Amino acid sequence: MRIGAIEAGGTKFVCGVGDEAGNIEDKASFPTGHPEKTMERAIQYFNGKGVEAIGIGSFGPVDLDPASPTYGYITTTPKPGWAGFPFLDTLRQAFDVPFGWDTDVNAAAFGEAMWGAAKGLGSCLYFTVGTGIGIGVYTEGNLAHGLVHPEGGHMLTRRHVEDHADGQPFPGICPYHGDCLEGMASGPAIEKRWKRKGSELPNDHPAWALEAYYVGQAVTNAILMLSPKKIILGGGVMHQTQLFPMIRTEIQNNLNGYVSAKAISARIDEYIVPPGLGDDAGLCGALALGLKAAGRMQQQKP
Ligand code: ADP
Ligand code: ZN
């Protein structure tokens, strides 16, 4: 069975074709431009490839409620042309196959749960720390949707007392909340605070202690709230691998022994991990969404 997959990011679209075992056989990527043009390229990509279902993990916010008249739409993004765009309907008009549809981070969590670092566990969280911060939630064998969908990247964080820029407390950059997690710890927040891109800062720069402080808080909150069996940290900023031990230490200090689990006290190196699927987590997750839509994915039980 050949399944199509789309990882729709705010800056780039990745389209691919894969099989039931999660192997990506082919992929292509192009910039996320104006919606009509971008969808045209995606349709062109799948034309003639014989896919029997297509899964999509999209940047958002998106409408995930099948009973809603705007199911499959991008809802309120500031990205020009995309707010209110009927993403799913546009593809449905081109291909008469079942479609899977979810957020980009939920897709990545699903991919990791099926074939990656959280395989067989029944629960995991996928954090992306990049241009934005997003948290995908896979719990009790299902992706969490709820009222809209989780927006953990904007959770409120406690500010670090020494977090200053230009002699003032750093106010954060989220246009909605200022100093939420994304406002304090996304790639652009690092760049705004230090006036250099994160990739240009040395490994021992004070930026990374602050970054670990904020991401560590968010992961701590997530552990307390959802008790996931694995936490996967991906995205461009997490290419700074020195962050992993720093974040693990923050979490252990925050929890202070309260959550009684060997995964935290003794094996945290295996609990807080990079994506098992590397940069393909999102695309593999979209593939898994397609397989599920085709009725070919067994639901995992915890
Ligand atoms: P996106 O979130 O747009 O899908 P990425 O996950 O690659 O893409 O995140 C891009 C952000 O990550 C940018 O703000 C960039 O500065 C930052 N970034 C990318 N690589 C690194 C790195 N090696 N170290 C620190 N920050 C990085
Ligand atoms: Zn915010």
Side-chain angles (χ1 to χ4, degrees):
M1 188 174 202
R2 303 190 88 201
I3 304 288
I6 302 177
E7 183 189 11
T11 44
K12 118 186 141 177
F13 249 62
V14 188
C15 296
V17 172
D19 67 13
E20 281 173 275
N23 302 305
I24 305 286
E25 293 159 5
D26 182 68
K27 66 176 169 178
S29 80
F30 41 89
T32 307
H34 195 269
E36 273 85 23
K37 197 96 211 118
T38 311
M39 298 309 278
E40 208 176 286
R41 290 187 78 168
I43 290 165
Q44 249 170 33
Y45 174 82
F46 290 113
N47 264 337
K49 291 214 164 52
V51 296
E52 292 176 66
I54 299 176
I56 306 157
S58 176
F59 73 95
V62 295
D63 189 338
L64 299 179
D65 175 6
S68 156
T70 53
Y71 174 67
Y73 283 46
I74 307 263
T75 57
T76 55
T77 177
K79 215 176 155 42
W82 286 90
F85 181 73
F87 194 133
L88 195 53
D89 287 350
T90 307
L91 285 171
R92 274 189 173 144
Q93 279 161 21
F95 303 102
D96 184 20
V97 296
F99 279 90
W101 165 250
D102 217 307
T103 64
D104 46 3
V105 277
N106 265 1
F110 197 29
E112 289 290 327
M114 293 303 131
W115 301 305
K119 188 174 172 191
L121 297 180
S123 78
C124 72
L125 299 180
Y126 185 96
F127 282 60
T128 182
V129 188
T131 307
I133 300 188
I135 306 177
V137 180
Y138 183 75
T139 182
E140 314 274 340
N142 282 300
L143 291 169
H145 293 166
L147 182 66
V148 179
H149 51 72
E151 285 282 12
H154 293 263
M155 72 171 75
L156 304 181
T157 51
R158 195 156 59 191
R159 303 169 62 119
H160 196 291
V161 287
E162 286 166 18
D163 187 354
H164 286 72
D166 301 319
Q168 299 287 327
F170 181 61
I173 62 155
C174 175
Y176 292 88
H177 320 112
D179 61 0
C180 68
L181 175 64
E182 181 173 296
M184 300 307 267
S186 61
I190 297 171
E191 192 175 342
K192 176 89 178 178
R193 187 189 283 112
W194 301 105
K195 299 182 179 58
R196 275 161 80 190
K197 283 190 183 306
S199 53
E200 294 165 6
L201 299 172
N203 287 358
D204 58 355
H205 193 277
W208 305 122
L210 274 185
E211 186 69 11
Y213 174 81
Y214 290 114
V215 176
Q217 260 190 73
V219 176
T220 303
N221 291 339
I223 291 170
L224 293 168
M225 194 74 203
L226 291 159
S227 207
K229 291 187 181 161
K230 190 77 83 178
I231 294 171
I232 298 141
L233 305 181
V237 174
M238 292 309 301
H239 289 149
Q240 298 286 331
T241 51
Q242 76 279 10
L243 282 171
F244 279 90
M246 297 166 84
I247 290 168
R248 292 177 186 127
T249 301
E250 290 286 340
I251 292 161
Q252 285 173 326
N253 290 344
N254 289 339
L255 289 172
N256 197 24
Y258 180 72
V259 177
S260 168
K262 286 264 181 333
I264 296 167
S265 61
R267 293 191 296 272
I268 198 163
D269 293 8
E270 298 160 38
Y271 182 51
I272 314 281
V273 296
L277 301 170
D279 290 339
D280 280 340
L283 194 63
C284 285
L287 182 66
L289 290 170
L291 269 174
K292 193 174 168 209
R296 299 293 282 268
M297 175 67 84
Q298 299 290 318
Q299 276 295 78
Q300 287 196 331
K301 289 287 169 244

